[in-house]
Amino acid sequence: MNDTTGRARALYEARATGKPIPPFTDDDPTLDMAAGYAIQRELVAMLLADGDRIIGHKVGLTAKPMQRMLGVDSPDYGPVLASTVYPDGGTVPLGRFIAPKIEAEIVFVLGSRLQGPGVTVEQARAAISGVVAGLEIVDSRIENWRIKLADTVADLASNGAMAVSATVVPLADIPDTRLIGMALTRDGELVDTGAGAAALGDPVAVVAWLANTLAADGVALEPGHLIMTGALHAAVPMRSGDAFLAEFDRLGTVGIKVGD
């Protein structure tokens, strides 16, 4: 399998069947980020043809440790699909995923259209209407998370699902998003902590980066879009019966339960 459409179809089927596939980079180690995005675009077209819709974007690899792990110096991105959003406090079925892990993230709500190139952090801040507490479930349709950069980019940046709090805090009420602290617990026990500065030094900078990067494809960030700005800590494996709660300074809490 060495064609873009064929690889996208393989990922589409892996999502449908729950059966992971070998890394594309096993067959072709020369695959790069551009090839990964070409596959991603084909996969997204297939999912939208099924009736799904894009309600925002996720940005991954915003933390330096994750960039070092994959040998890159910039983030990656993928769409957030409406079918993958769960309510705060909802139950997420483990069987929907292959090898899911959970990450706590700061999520922005766009208030006005934002399109690059040349978007500054100040312009991104002006376009953001609110901030919510978020949880991302990352999942890999690639066997055993044996991903290289092209593999994870192709696979919607390893996006699985998300949950966000119902409370939207106006960005104007938060003096510095870098300093938003977070504590993640599983069944009441502390698992990890983080702060907004883990995401490219400033989560708002993630929005500017995304707007400028998507501009190359003529894509804008639209009002109402949710922008996931990247994990504030190492991803945590999920097990049936787990109850996760992320407590954010100023943003409140967001939690999920893990079902079968």
Side-chain angles (χ1 to χ4, degrees):
M1 177 182 27
N2 57 9
D3 66 290
T4 298
T5 301
R7 288 174 172 140
R9 175 61 60 180
L11 283 171
Y12 177 89
E13 292 175 356
R15 293 172 68 90
T17 64
K19 296 179 180 178
I21 60 176
F24 300 134
T25 51
D26 276 4
D27 287 338
D28 186 355
T30 67
L31 285 179
D32 58 10
M33 182 179 278
Y37 282 122
I39 298 167
Q40 183 189 117
R41 286 190 290 272
E42 294 268 3
L43 173 59
V44 171
M46 294 175 187
L47 296 171
L48 296 183
D50 285 344
D52 218 330
R53 59 190 177 90
I54 294 173
I55 61 167
H57 304 271
K58 71 149 287 183
V59 183
L61 305 180
T62 55
K64 290 298 183 184
M66 288 301 297
Q67 291 182 7
R68 286 193 293 268
M69 187 179 79
L70 286 180
V72 298
D73 59 3
S74 70
D76 66 352
Y77 64 88
V80 173
L81 299 170
S83 65
T84 67
V85 179
Y86 288 86
D88 182 13
T91 298
V92 175
L94 195 66
R96 179 174 177 174
F97 308 100
I98 294 173
K101 303 178 183 182
I102 197 163
E103 301 173 345
E105 306 191 8
I106 293 168
V107 180
F108 291 122
V109 182
L110 263 289
S112 59
R113 194 171 192 265
L114 190 65
Q115 184 167 18
V119 171
T120 65
V121 172
E122 291 72 23
Q123 289 170 330
R125 190 182 308 277
I128 296 167
S129 62
V131 195
V132 293
L135 290 169
E136 181 181 12
I137 298 169
V138 292
D139 194 22
S140 183
R141 275 57 63 167
I142 306 297
E143 291 174 347
N144 301 317
W145 278 96
R146 290 195 301 114
I147 53 172
K148 293 183 179 177
L149 183 60
D151 301 305
T152 185
V153 167
D155 191 18
L156 305 191
S158 299
N159 181 247
M162 69 176 296
V164 293
S165 62
T167 301
V168 180
V169 179
L171 182 59
D173 292 352
I174 301 176
D176 193 338
T177 54
R178 300 174 305 164
L179 305 181
I180 297 175
M182 183 282 307
L184 178 70
T185 58
R186 177 173 53 206
D187 302 328
E189 295 188 5
L190 184 67
V191 176
D192 213 336
T193 61
L200 278 192
D202 180 353
V204 178
V206 176
V207 178
W209 176 89
L210 180 63
N212 290 328
T213 302
L214 289 175
D217 293 326
V219 176
L221 306 182
E222 301 292 349
H225 269 179
L226 299 175
I227 309 299
M228 308 184 71
T229 59
L232 304 181
H233 61 93
V236 179
M238 297 166 54
R239 306 166 303 197
S240 180
D242 285 343
F244 287 98
L245 184 70
E247 301 171 86
F248 288 79
D249 180 39
R250 299 180 180 268
L251 303 184
T253 66
V254 60
I256 62 163
K257 300 177 179 67
V258 184
D260 294 329

